[in-house]
Structure formats: C-alpha cells, structure tokens
Amino acid sequence: MTSARFRARFRLKDLLAEALAGLFTRPGRSLLTALGAVLGIASLVATLGIAETAGAQIVTAFDELAATSVVVTNERGFFGGETRVALPWDSEERIARLNGVIAAGTMAEVNLAGRLTSAVPVNDPLGLTEFQVPMIAASPGLLAASLGELSSGRWFDSGHSVRADRVAVLGNGVAQRLNVTRVDQQPVVFVGDDSYVVLGILEDVRRQPELLNSIIVPEGTARELYELESPTTVQIHTEIGAASLISTQAPIAVSPDDPGAVQVQAPLEPEEVRADVEEDVNALFLMLGGVSLLVGAIGIANVTLVSVLERVGEIGLRRALGAGRRHIAYQFLLESTGVGFFGGVIGASLGVLVVVSVSAVRTWTPVMDARIALAAPLLGGLVGLVAGLYPAWRASRMAPVDSLRAGMG
Amino acid sequence: MNAAPLIRLEGVGRRFRSGTIEVEALRDAHLEIKPGEYLSIVGPSGSGKSTLLNIIALLDRQTSGVYRFEGSVVTELSEGYRTGLRAHRIGFVFQSFHLLAHRTVTENVILSMLYNRLPPKERKPRARAALERVGLSHRADFRPGRLSGGERQRVAIARAIATGPAILICDEPTGNLDSASTESVLDLFDELRSDGLTLLVVTHDPAVSARAERTLQMHDGRLSEPS
C-alpha cells in the first residue's frame, strides 16, 4: 500500500542550496574555518610557482651567458699543485677553428714582481699616484670571447703582439684610479719603468670580471718584457647548444698529447639545472605546504564537528521533515567541501599574487603552469571533503529524537 | 466516515536499555486513530508520552507489538520508506518551534518540502498558502527572531501543513507559550481540524487536552482511556 511515491528524495540542486546556505549563514566563521586550507593551498601554489619561475629564470640566464661559455685552464685548481702542461700560444687559433665556436681568447696573469703602475707623473704630494695593479696578458680574441665592451679606443690586434708593442687596454677600475678617461691623445701609463700607450678602456665584461681591474697587454709584449711562459686560461664563446661538444673538443685541440691535463669548465645542461633547482625548492616547501594543508584539514574537521554539535536541533528537524541519514551526511560533507573549495580559491589567488610579487621585486618573469592554479581549488575541496567525513558521519548517526530534544532553536 | 484507521497500534511496547538497567517506557499500547480525529494524550512528564509520540511519528522503533500506518506494518518498511512517510504523510510541531534563525519565515516553511517529491515550482505557492492558512502572510519575509512565540509556533504549524500531511503530530505545542498565544494556537488547531486534518497533541496541560475530541492518559508507560 505504501508505495514508492512516498520515498524521501533530496534533489541535488536543493542539496547544493542547503550546503551553500549553511556556509553563508556564518560567513565570518566559514572564512576562519577555511583559513588553514587557504594558507596550505597558498603556500603550495606559491612554492610551485616560485620554483617554476626561478627555474625559468636560471635557464634564461644560462642561455645568455653560461650556456655558451666554455673555459679551459691548465691550472690545477685549489688543491692542484704544479701545472702539467703549458697551453700553446696559438690556442686561440686552434680553438677558433672548431665548429660552433664564435670567439676564443687566451689570457694569463703576468707576474709583475712588485712593479707599481702610474699615469703620467704629477707631483701631487697628497695624492697617491702609484698603484699595485694586476697585469693580464691577453690574446686579440679575448675581448669578443669575454663579451667585453670598450668605452673608448680599441683593443690590440695580433700585430701589436707580434711586434711586442708597448700598448695596453685599461680595465674600467684601473682607468678610474689612474685618471685616464679618454684615449684620443694617446695617454701613457707606466708599469715600473716601462711606458705603455693606452689604446682603449674596457667598460664592461660579462665573463672574466678580473679584466676590469687589470691592465691588459698583448701576449707578445708580456713574453718579451716579463718572460711569460704560456697562457693559463682559454675563454671560449660558443654558439647556443654547442657548449657540451666544444667542452670535449677543446682539450684535444689545445693539448693533443694529454687532453686530460687541462681543466674544462662547461655549463650544465639547462634542463638539468632547472630540474635540480626545482627539486631542491620543491621538496622543502611542498612539505611545508603539505603540513599546513594537513593542519587546515584538521581545522575544518574541528569546526565542522562543532557546527554539527551546535546544529543538533536542525539535524533533528530535518530528519523529522523526512531527511534520511544520507541526506544529512551529504549536507555536512558538502558544506566542509565548500569551505575547502573556497579556501582553495582564495589560497590559489594568494599564491599567484605571491609569485607575481616576488617576481616583480626580483624583476623576474613570473612563470606558472595554469593547471596548478586551477587544480588548487579542487585540492582544497578534496581536503574539505576528507575533513568533513567524520563530522558528517557523526551528524548522520544522531537519533532524531535526541537531537530534537537537545536542540532549542 | 472512512472506517479504515490512519494509525493502529497493537500491543506496542518500547524498552530502553542503558547498561544493565532496562526501562520499559511504553507497555502494551493499543490505539486507533481515524482520519479526521483530534486526539490528545496527557500525562505527567516521564510517563512515556514522548516515547509513544516518537514511535507514532516514525522517529523511533518499538521493541514489541505491531504498528500500522495507513495499513502498512511500519516495521516491515525500509528506512527509506519510513523517512519518506515522514516527508509526505506526517507533519510535526515541536515545543521549541525549531525554526532556522537565519532564514525567513517563507524559507522556513519551504524547508519541509525539500525532502519530498513535490515539484520545486509548487513550493513557494504552497508556502504562501500555508502561511495564509495560519494568518501570517504579512510576516512572510520576516526572520523568526522578530516574531512572538505564538507567531513562531504558527510558522512551525504552517511548515508542518505545507506538505499536505495525513496527520499533524504536536509535542507540547504550547509548552513555551503564554496563555494568549496558547489560545491562538489552539484556535488554529480547531480550524485545521474542521478542515479535516487529523491531529495528535501530546501535552501535560489539561486546558489544551480539553479542546480535543478524545483524550487518552499515559501513566507509567501505560496508555488508557480516562475513566
């Protein structure tokens, strides 16, 4: 006799409306409840975003400089001891012949044995006019290989080297100390008793920054005056993508007898670098984000449970009005899921904001997988769902009789 | 009138067990309620009135005896049908109103129609009609906090009758009301009764039970016609 037409039902739309109403009757509390999820999601999104941004930044930097730089030295490094081979004087030509090399240059520090450098003598009793300035002997190609820029004048060429001309290029720092600002009248500086005509002033370099604080002379000149034995370093500027190939070929080119005797500094593959950086950043901060998300979940569970106990009367009423246990459980489950979801939305927004702010401060380009921002609210919802399981179960187990007695509302 | 009873209890009992102590809150109750009857049950607190009411209202299950609602043996029904019966055939009025404070009067009335098969479009017209029936159309958009006790109970009654139930079950409906409000609620019961609604009122107030056609007494879990 009692037919299916009396079966209780609860439309999905009504369920959603009831859960939303539950959320928005106490918006302040819902917001506070969501705070844990907000923080957790925000830190996760920010972590992933910043890691990605920084990774992309590193790759960009490597593309420009390090990814195209290969350095060969015969120095044995910090613990190295004696050098095993001398780099040949024609290293520059040998390297430049390799396919993929844009520019190459050799350099070596010259032992000045305490000689001081000065500009044209001016008798200024108070001013310091003589300085201890390191001297670097360089090949003509070094300017291009170190991506240097002259602010005035010119770099020396192989003719200067062959003739052992007394010419020099001043690094920017040295030029300032010696008060040499222009070279059109061929100023002269003295190193010990030897005079050098200043050909140019080196404004900036992107590699081998010690050049900026040195007086740079042709190799031929250094050989003749200071008995320089050999270059110590070859700086190579390669085409993009050629660095790893050149780093295997260059030792053979400069030291065919014993390629292993020279040291090669070559860039890591960009993908490796990015992966390394992201992994480092991620592991730590993802853990932090995970912990705060867990704390957030506990918070949601707690408040939802309190809310269940507070709304005993409402639960009883709904049961009396024909809500099944399932309906009650769904309602509370959906409420906590909603809290988590909105927490996720707010958290994701905050996280993106953090990434953008950090990028703005560091003048980086913010890079972020859009899927992270979109998945964050879903993760928040999931956290809310899990957090609501126990409170919803409790709510659904309440006997309507008892809840109606207890709740005065 | 139709002789088939709406509700029929045959030797219904309810035992509660807490630890090793067993309490028999309801013993061997026999009761028949016909459609359109106005019945009250009186008795001191602790006499088992509420236990009986909860069983009749399908909120609780008896431990012995047979309970038929509109001819069906309810113990044979699944929980889904029992909740369905609550949603469609039974209206509740509680002592403490149980209105949701954050919702308007109309929204509170609509709440009772959420869990039944009424088309959603019909909810609002029905809620309006029910509010008009209890004389509160002018309060439709108020929140319960701004209503008097008597008005709140009338909203609760509107909520209960909006689904068109077969029976209205009231648990101490005037327990929280002053005498004037009590009077207005009782007048409303009379009107509903004359509309043909079946009423079951549980109370400990003789003035309230006096308005019913038939009054039963509860004492120590036993239901009896007064002598």
Side-chain angles (χ1 to χ4, degrees):
Chain A
M1 155 135 196
T2 307
S3 67
R5 90 196 145 97
F6 292 144
R7 282 205 76 152
R9 70 178 292 178
F10 195 20
R11 291 175 175 81
L12 185 64
K13 200 179 142 202
D14 291 332
L15 177 63
L16 285 172
E18 289 300 301
L20 274 181
L23 278 185
F24 286 110
T25 42
R26 294 189 185 83
R29 174 198 279 206
S30 298
L31 211 63
L32 281 178
T33 310
L35 204 59
V38 168
L39 292 179
I41 296 284
S43 53
L44 281 181
V45 170
T47 302
L48 291 172
I50 288 175
E52 214 169 329
T53 300
Q57 190 57 33
I58 287 163
V59 171
T60 319
F62 268 69
D63 282 346
E64 278 182 26
L65 278 176
T68 56
S69 171
V70 176
V71 177
V72 180
T73 67
N74 67 352
E75 284 160 358
R76 303 304 296 168
F78 194 70
F79 301 104
E82 288 293 297
T83 59
R84 278 160 59 188
V85 293
L87 294 176
W89 289 109
D90 62 348
S91 293
E92 180 179 319
E93 288 89 60
R94 293 189 192 193
I95 298 286
R97 277 201 293 271
L98 298 177
N99 198 7
V101 171
I102 295 174
T106 55
M107 56 189 275
E109 188 162 349
V110 177
N111 183 3
L112 287 177
R115 294 184 182 87
L116 296 178
T117 303
S118 62
V120 177
V122 175
N123 287 327
D124 179 357
L126 295 174
L128 194 58
T129 55
E130 286 189 316
F131 306 94
Q132 189 143 26
V133 175
M135 177 182 280
I136 289 175
S139 71
L142 188 66
L143 179 68
S146 63
L147 301 178
E149 268 175 64
L150 297 170
S151 60
S152 60
R154 53 166 294 201
W155 192 259
F156 40 78
D157 55 35
S158 53
H160 293 115
S161 184
V162 169
R163 295 188 299 271
D165 285 344
R166 310 283 200 272
V167 293
V169 170
L170 299 184
N172 197 17
V174 177
Q176 272 175 19
R177 280 204 282 174
L178 295 176
N179 276 321
V180 179
T181 54
R182 42 197 287 194
V183 297
D184 48 355
Q185 293 185 331
Q186 300 202 318
V188 170
V189 296
F190 294 89
V191 177
D193 295 332
D194 303 312
S195 66
Y196 290 85
V197 174
V198 178
L199 284 182
I201 296 173
L202 187 61
E203 171 71 16
D204 197 12
V205 290
R206 309 285 297 277
R207 297 170 182 146
Q208 310 294 355
E210 66 266 35
L211 289 171
L212 292 177
N213 260 325
S214 305
I215 173 167
I216 306 146
V217 301
E219 279 170 345
T221 312
R223 279 166 82 180
E224 185 170 311
L225 290 184
Y226 310 109
E227 286 145 19
L228 184 67
E229 283 171 3
S230 84
T232 56
T233 302
V234 188
Q235 170 69 56
I236 308 165
H237 178 49
T238 73
E239 281 170 11
I240 289 173
S244 60
L245 177 68
I246 298 300
S247 67
T248 59
Q249 292 177 345
I252 301 168
V254 298
S255 174
D257 303 346
D258 188 4
V262 296
Q263 302 287 303
V264 182
Q265 296 161 19
L268 289 170
E269 292 297 317
E271 289 73 22
E272 281 171 34
V273 176
R274 174 158 60 177
D276 282 357
V277 170
E278 284 189 15
E279 227 165 78
D280 291 352
V281 178
N282 282 1
L284 183 65
F285 283 89
L286 285 185
M287 218 146 67
L288 263 171
V291 167
S292 38
L293 210 56
L294 187 70
V295 172
I298 294 170
I300 293 177
N302 228 333
V303 179
T304 309
L305 194 59
V306 169
S307 157
V308 164
L309 298 178
E310 264 180 9
R311 286 157 65 185
V312 163
E314 183 190 327
I315 294 168
L317 171 72
R318 286 176 187 276
R319 291 296 306 277
L321 293 178
R325 292 185 193 285
R326 274 178 308 138
H327 301 142
I328 300 292
Y330 290 160
Q331 186 186 336
F332 280 94
L333 212 51
L334 209 59
E335 276 185 33
S336 69
T337 306
V339 167
F341 180 81
F342 288 117
V345 170
I346 299 172
S349 317
L350 285 180
V352 170
L353 254 157
V354 167
V355 173
V356 171
S357 315
V358 168
S359 304
V361 168
R362 317 228 33 185
T363 64
W364 288 348
T365 311
V367 177
M368 205 167 144
D369 195 335
R371 281 173 301 183
I372 293 175
L374 293 179
L378 296 184
L379 180 63
L382 188 70
V383 167
L385 182 75
V386 172
L389 282 175
Y390 176 66
W393 181 78
R394 277 287 295 271
S396 74
R397 298 323 294 176
M398 281 178 177
V401 190
D402 304 338
S403 14
L404 283 168
R405 289 279 132 144
M408 301 285 287
Chain B
M1 203 155 185
N2 190 353
L6 180 64
I7 284 170
R8 192 185 159 90
L9 301 185
E10 296 161 14
V12 167
R14 177 73 167 99
R15 259 186 234 104
F16 291 101
R17 184 191 298 249
S18 106
T20 54
I21 305 164
E22 216 176 57
V23 180
E24 202 162 11
L26 186 66
R27 307 160 200 232
D28 193 28
H30 292 267
L31 174 66
E32 233 181 64
I33 304 176
K34 293 194 168 63
E37 258 192 308
Y38 183 176
L39 183 74
S40 75
I41 297 174
V42 294
S45 50
S47 60
K49 301 188 302 275
S50 296
T51 306
L52 176 64
L53 198 70
N54 286 325
I55 288 171
I56 293 177
L58 301 174
L59 292 173
D60 197 4
R61 287 168 188 265
Q62 74 269 28
T63 45
S64 59
V66 176
Y67 170 20
R68 292 173 193 275
F69 186 95
E70 293 186 321
S72 320
V73 179
V74 297
T75 34
E76 292 170 359
L77 298 178
S78 71
E79 188 61 38
Y81 281 117
R82 288 164 59 92
T83 42
L85 280 179
R86 290 207 296 271
H88 293 87
R89 304 301 286 160
I90 300 174
F92 285 96
V93 176
F94 312 98
Q95 177 174 2
S96 53
F97 322 137
H98 284 298
L99 300 176
L100 299 186
H102 297 280
R103 306 202 185 177
T104 65
V105 164
T106 308
E107 287 167 344
N108 266 290
V109 174
I110 284 176
L111 201 63
S112 66
M113 292 179 267
L114 283 184
Y115 302 99
N116 68 17
R117 297 184 161 262
L118 220 58
K121 262 190 292 183
E122 274 184 42
R123 288 177 187 163
K124 233 176 183 159
R126 279 207 182 215
R128 281 189 210 289
L131 282 173
E132 192 165 337
R133 186 71 201 76
V134 302
L136 282 177
S137 296
H138 59 298
R139 297 277 192 258
D141 296 324
F142 281 42
R143 280 174 206 275
R146 295 179 57 196
L147 304 180
S148 73
E151 285 174 324
R152 288 186 209 184
Q153 193 58 296
R154 274 149 64 197
V155 173
I157 293 168
R159 179 178 64 198
I161 63 173
T163 55
I167 183 171
L168 188 62
I169 297 178
C170 312
D171 185 9
E172 301 277 4
T174 58
N176 285 4
L177 300 181
D178 58 27
S179 54
S181 301
T182 299
E183 199 57 36
S184 76
V185 166
L186 291 178
D187 288 348
L188 181 58
F189 282 166
D190 287 344
E191 290 170 38
L192 294 172
R193 159 83 182 86
S194 61
D195 289 350
L197 189 64
T198 312
L199 280 163
L200 174 60
V201 179
V202 164
T203 180
H204 65 268
D205 183 351
V208 173
S209 65
R211 303 283 286 259
E213 287 173 328
R214 186 152 73 106
T215 299
L216 298 179
Q217 268 189 335
M218 277 294 285
H219 205 273
D220 277 344
R222 288 189 190 282
L223 188 64
S224 60
E225 303 266 352
S227 48

